Amino acid sequence: MDISNFIHHNRERAFLVGDYSAYRTQLSRQLLKTRKNLGRTTKKNQKEPSTKIPISADDIGSSHEFARLQLLTAERAWTFAMAMKAAHGEGEQTVSGATRSHVLSRLCKAAKTAERLSTILKDEQSAAKATERDILEARAYACVLYGSLEFEKHVSKPPSDDSSVQKSTWQSCLSHFSTAHVIYTALLHATKLDVFKEMLGNVDPSIRYAAYQARYPRTLSPNQVAKQHFPRADVQLIKAVESFHPAALASEQAQAKVEAPDGELRDIPTTVTWRGRKAPIADASIGQALANTSLVIDKFRETTDKASSEAIGPHILKIIAAAYDDVLGAAQDTVDNVRRAIAELNREGVAESDSRMQDLRVTDLAVNYDLIAWRVGRNRVLISSATSESSSEGKWQRDDGLRFSPTKLSRKSKKKQAEHLDGKNNGPRTPSAPSEEEPVPKQLARLTARVKLFDLTLQSIDSAASLRGAARDPAFQNELAAKRVYFSTLRSLNIAISHRVLGREREALAVLDLANRRANAINVDHLATAITSPLDGLKLGVFPSQLTALQEHLNEATRKQHGLVALQEIIPPLSAQRNTLVNTAQSSAPKVAKPQTHQEPLIYHLDRYPEDGKVDLTNLVNYPPKVEPVPVKPIFLDLAWKYIDYPGRRQEEGAEEPEKPAEEQNKKKRGWFGFGR
């Protein structure tokens, strides 16, 4: 039946072009069309309307359109209630008076209609030809509508000072939404469909608000609140849910143990450490996101270790760079959860001096810097080269773009690649041809890509320095400044390499000298304090050994480039002196007349006297002759000669015109069309 997908796509398609009123109109058209197809329209002189005829399990078993008829009816009632709330006014949060009663009646009708469908599928499963998934989806949809009804009943009431009264007031609302949350979570775990993730996104905010009104602490996530308020008395529902997800109702630690790839128990973190300061996690969703990030990082370490142990090749960089994507996605989810928690406190009017807000600010700084560091780590992998020169052990090693070597391709490999693309690989084997270096345009393209990645890295470091709370830490600012100089030095080094590829030795020497002075000005102590774990080397961390290697390489490259420039300055005077000696020797030698065959033939410059007074008789004309354009007078074709009177072409005066025959003179037209009556 695909109940959740049907509801979600109907709403999504309608809200793209309109609001709740447009959605209600669309549902009315769909209802009428479905009733016509099923023969449930009210005919003329019919005593009982067809809409009041109950739908049985046999009807649903014969056609699933009867189930969709119930869904459309419930959805239209819910949409009518939401349209009235939207029309009441955006500034007012609650609806009062007759409008509120009308809204509640529409929600009650929608919930009862959905519950009727759920009961039919549950009690008469075989007759309705329903699966366990259909039953759970119908139950979750009915619980969402009942939860919305209870939510609207209590949202307009003023909160009570007694916490027990508040909990009992919102108990029914939490119970319905919790049932829907657990069911959608189990179905999402079993099917991996995005539609259930979207349904959870609609349910979780309501659970969070109802838990806040019931005086529950913010450290409880919607998942924990849902497990506490799930109806444990319904054994049949529990069995159905656990058939899709065995750990759906387990504790957080047990669920983490099940979901961990290595089978170990993973505790959800309760604190965040940032440069020696520990801050408690104020929201459970943040802790869950951090736990998921740690699991993804473990998978990332396994992937990178496996890729680094393989033979060197260009595919290693792609594997390692792709492994960063999952980590970046998990880190971004953590940042979003922290921002949501801060936004909720701001809406409540919590001051910045409050301990909860301070803890969230520390957490926000830590997770944002971690996200930026992973982005920089991915850029460093893309910048690095994967050649055998990078490591003496034959394994991949990141060098941050310190060295650049043109790719060498043999002609044989090029031929094989072309034959593979053409589908022809039947040629005889030939001995390997000498390797050819990569063309200059391709080398420049690779260097340009490196410089762009360095620019992105520098932008990321600047964004990290401008994070809220980072400006108050001078040591952190010094660390970021040292890292920025390190990466800007590497950028200058690659620009110098591009100048050297183009043959601009002087420009390359100037840029190398600038990079050398920058590298020698970096304080090693600022970089040494930033390394706290081996994982930092995969992100934004810079080891002192890397800085030492950069300084040594720049010193060597600067001296080498200085020698090349000096040689370039010495070679031109020697070449000029050599040319002078050659010209002198040629002038003292006896001259031998040589035919000037390279000059134009004599026929083309007959108007010029030869400079030396001699004529090359062997170069008179081009033979054999070639087809060449020859200048001639232009040809004018006067096509208007008979239509324009030119001077001297006038008719003689007195010339008599030829007489017309008598028959033509006597012939006259009669009538309108030349014939008489």
Side-chain angles (χ1 to χ4, degrees):
M1 296 181 187
D2 210 1
I3 296 174
S4 301
N5 196 22
F6 176 73
I7 296 297
H8 172 68
H9 284 290
N10 263 357
R11 293 182 180 180
E12 186 179 19
R13 185 172 60 253
F15 293 151
L16 283 176
V17 296
D19 52 0
Y20 289 106
S21 299
Y23 185 31
R24 183 190 173 203
T25 305
Q26 177 182 340
L27 290 172
S28 298
R29 291 196 298 266
Q30 290 183 5
L31 268 173
L32 180 59
K33 183 178 180 180
T34 306
R35 285 171 182 166
K36 286 182 178 179
N37 294 335
L38 298 176
R40 287 299 184 104
T41 55
T42 303
K43 299 179 182 179
K44 188 177 180 180
N45 299 329
Q46 186 175 346
K47 295 182 179 180
E48 186 179 4
S50 299
T51 55
K52 293 185 179 181
I53 300 176
I55 295 176
S56 62
D58 296 331
D59 295 334
I60 298 176
S62 61
S63 176
H64 287 170
E65 290 295 324
F66 285 97
R68 295 195 173 185
L69 183 63
Q70 291 290 92
L71 293 175
L72 291 173
T73 305
E75 192 71 3
R76 187 177 66 166
W78 173 83
T79 307
F80 191 15
M82 296 298 105
M84 284 189 290
K85 283 187 61 179
H88 184 71
E90 297 180 358
E92 302 181 16
Q93 296 182 357
T94 58
V95 182
S96 58
T99 306
R100 180 173 177 272
S101 301
H102 200 181
V103 169
L104 294 178
S105 67
R106 294 299 91 192
L107 289 176
C108 183
K109 178 183 178 180
K112 288 182 178 179
T113 305
E115 185 186 15
R116 190 179 306 115
L117 175 62
S118 176
T119 304
I120 293 174
L121 297 180
K122 177 183 176 182
D123 296 342
E124 302 180 31
Q125 180 179 359
S126 59
K129 298 180 181 179
T131 61
E132 291 292 337
R133 175 180 165 180
D134 296 334
I135 296 173
L136 287 179
E137 288 187 27
R139 177 68 180 273
Y141 180 62
C143 289
V144 169
L145 294 179
Y146 268 114
S148 301
L149 175 61
E150 296 295 331
F151 187 90
E152 293 297 331
K153 284 182 180 179
H154 305 301
V155 72
S156 59
K157 296 181 180 179
S160 177
D161 297 334
D162 191 356
S163 60
S164 60
V165 174
Q166 279 293 105
K167 286 186 178 181
S168 61
T169 301
W170 290 89
Q171 178 66 31
S172 177
C173 178
L174 283 173
S175 177
H176 289 299
F177 280 127
S178 299
T179 304
H181 176 90
V182 172
I183 292 175
Y184 285 137
T185 303
L187 293 175
L188 176 62
H189 181 270
T191 60
K192 308 296 182 182
L193 296 177
D194 292 337
V195 62
F196 297 113
K197 187 182 296 185
E198 296 292 337
M199 302 300 284
L200 281 174
N202 297 331
V203 172
D204 287 350
S206 301
I207 295 178
R208 193 177 290 109
Y209 182 82
Y212 168 74
Q213 292 292 338
R215 304 292 195 274
Y216 283 101
R218 289 184 175 274
T219 55
L220 293 178
S221 64
N223 194 23
Q224 293 174 332
V225 175
K227 290 178 181 180
Q228 290 182 7
H229 292 82
F230 187 81
R232 303 280 178 170
D234 195 342
V235 181
Q236 187 176 359
L237 178 60
I238 292 176
K239 290 182 179 180
V241 170
E242 289 182 348
S243 64
F244 287 91
H245 187 16
L249 298 174
S251 61
E252 292 290 335
Q253 290 185 350
Q255 186 176 359
K257 181 177 180 181
V258 172
E259 294 181 354
D262 53 1
E264 296 181 359
L265 182 63
R266 302 295 178 89
D267 295 332
I268 296 178
T270 57
T271 58
V272 174
T273 304
W274 168 251
R275 300 182 68 84
R277 177 180 175 180
K278 289 186 177 181
I281 296 176
D283 198 332
S285 60
I286 301 175
Q288 185 67 35
L290 288 173
N292 295 335
T293 304
S294 64
L295 293 176
V296 175
I297 290 174
D298 292 342
K299 295 180 181 178
F300 167 78
R301 294 292 299 273
E302 294 177 0
T303 303
T304 53
D305 294 342
K306 182 180 179 180
S308 300
S309 62
E310 294 180 357
I312 295 174
H315 66 284
I316 293 181
L317 283 180
K318 297 181 181 179
I319 294 175
I320 297 177
Y324 277 87
D325 294 340
D326 296 336
V327 181
L328 289 173
Q332 185 64 53
D333 292 341
T334 307
V335 171
D336 294 340
N337 287 325
V338 174
R339 289 177 181 174
R340 179 191 52 76
I342 293 176
E344 289 180 356
L345 291 183
N346 287 330
R347 284 195 297 267
E348 294 176 9
V350 178
E352 291 290 337
S353 58
D354 191 270
S355 60
R356 295 177 297 170
M357 184 64 76
Q358 291 291 324
D359 295 337
L360 280 177
R361 290 299 181 189
V362 174
T363 306
D364 181 59
L365 179 59
V367 298
N368 274 283
Y369 177 75
D370 192 59
L371 176 61
I372 293 172
W374 282 111
R375 288 176 182 171
V376 173
R378 188 177 187 273
N379 292 340
R380 294 173 73 179
V381 170
L382 294 175
I383 291 170
S384 301
S385 59
T387 59
S388 58
E389 299 174 0
S390 301
S391 176
S392 60
E393 299 178 359
K395 296 181 180 180
W396 175 82
Q397 184 180 1
R398 184 172 62 186
D399 61 354
D400 291 336
L402 185 62
R403 292 176 177 82
F404 179 82
S405 57
T407 304
K408 295 183 179 181
L409 298 175
S410 63
R411 297 177 183 174
K412 182 179 178 181
S413 62
K414 290 182 180 179
K415 184 178 180 181
K416 284 187 176 181
Q417 185 177 6
E419 290 177 353
H420 177 70
L421 294 176
D422 297 337
K424 300 176 182 179
N425 196 13
N426 301 323
R429 293 188 177 183
T430 58
S432 59
S435 60
E436 295 181 357
E437 287 191 356
E438 188 178 13
V440 173
K442 290 188 177 181
Q443 296 183 34
L444 293 177
R446 290 173 54 197
L447 290 169
T448 303
R450 280 190 176 188
V451 173
K452 289 182 180 179
L453 289 171
F454 277 120
D455 291 337
L456 294 176
T457 301
L458 294 177
Q459 291 177 7
S460 299
I461 295 175
D462 293 339
S463 63
S466 62
L467 290 174
R468 184 165 184 169
R472 301 178 181 179
D473 192 347
F476 181 60
Q477 292 293 329
N478 294 333
E479 173 191 334
L480 291 179
K483 292 178 179 179
R484 195 184 193 286
V485 174
Y486 172 79
F487 287 107
S488 63
T489 303
L490 288 169
R491 179 179 180 273
S492 301
L493 174 60
N494 282 268
I495 293 176
I497 295 173
S498 64
H499 283 298
R500 190 174 60 193
V501 169
L502 292 173
R504 303 170 182 172
E505 305 296 342
R506 290 176 177 272
E507 290 81 354
L509 177 61
V511 179
L512 280 175
D513 183 66
L514 175 63
N516 192 15
R517 286 187 277 109
R518 285 181 178 176
N520 293 328
I522 299 176
N523 192 349
V524 185
D525 297 335
H526 294 162
L527 297 178
T529 56
I531 302 298
T532 57
S533 65
L535 193 62
D536 293 336
L538 299 173
K539 299 188 290 184
L540 189 52
V542 179
F543 293 96
S545 59
Q546 293 176 323
L547 177 60
T548 304
L550 175 62
Q551 292 173 348
E552 293 177 355
H553 180 76
L554 283 174
N555 290 330
E556 181 182 354
T558 305
R559 290 194 298 268
K560 180 180 178 181
Q561 191 66 26
H562 190 277
L564 291 175
V565 173
L567 288 175
Q568 192 177 22
E569 293 179 353
I570 294 173
I571 288 174
L574 293 177
S575 300
Q577 184 178 3
R578 177 181 174 277
N579 293 335
T580 303
L581 294 175
V582 170
N583 294 333
T584 304
Q586 290 178 354
S587 61
S588 60
K591 296 183 179 180
V592 179
K594 296 182 180 180
Q596 300 177 359
T597 57
H598 63 280
Q599 297 180 355
E600 293 182 350
L602 182 63
I603 193 173
Y604 291 115
H605 53 84
L606 294 174
D607 56 338
R608 296 197 303 269
Y609 188 79
E611 296 180 358
D612 53 357
K614 297 180 180 180
V615 178
D616 185 10
L617 299 178
T618 61
N619 191 20
L620 298 178
V621 293
N622 286 328
Y623 186 83
K626 299 179 182 179
V627 179
E628 297 178 351
V630 178
V632 296
K633 293 183 179 180
I635 299 176
F636 295 97
L637 301 177
D638 194 352
L639 302 179
W641 176 259
K642 295 182 180 180
Y643 302 96
I644 299 177
D645 292 335
Y646 292 95
R649 193 174 169 270
R650 296 179 181 178
Q651 188 176 4
E652 296 180 0
E653 297 182 0
E656 297 181 357
E657 296 181 359
E659 296 182 359
K660 296 181 180 180
E663 296 179 358
E664 293 183 0
Q665 294 180 0
N666 297 330
K667 189 177 181 179
K668 296 182 179 179
K669 294 183 179 181
R670 294 178 298 175
W672 288 355
F673 301 99
F675 53 86
R677 299 179 181 177

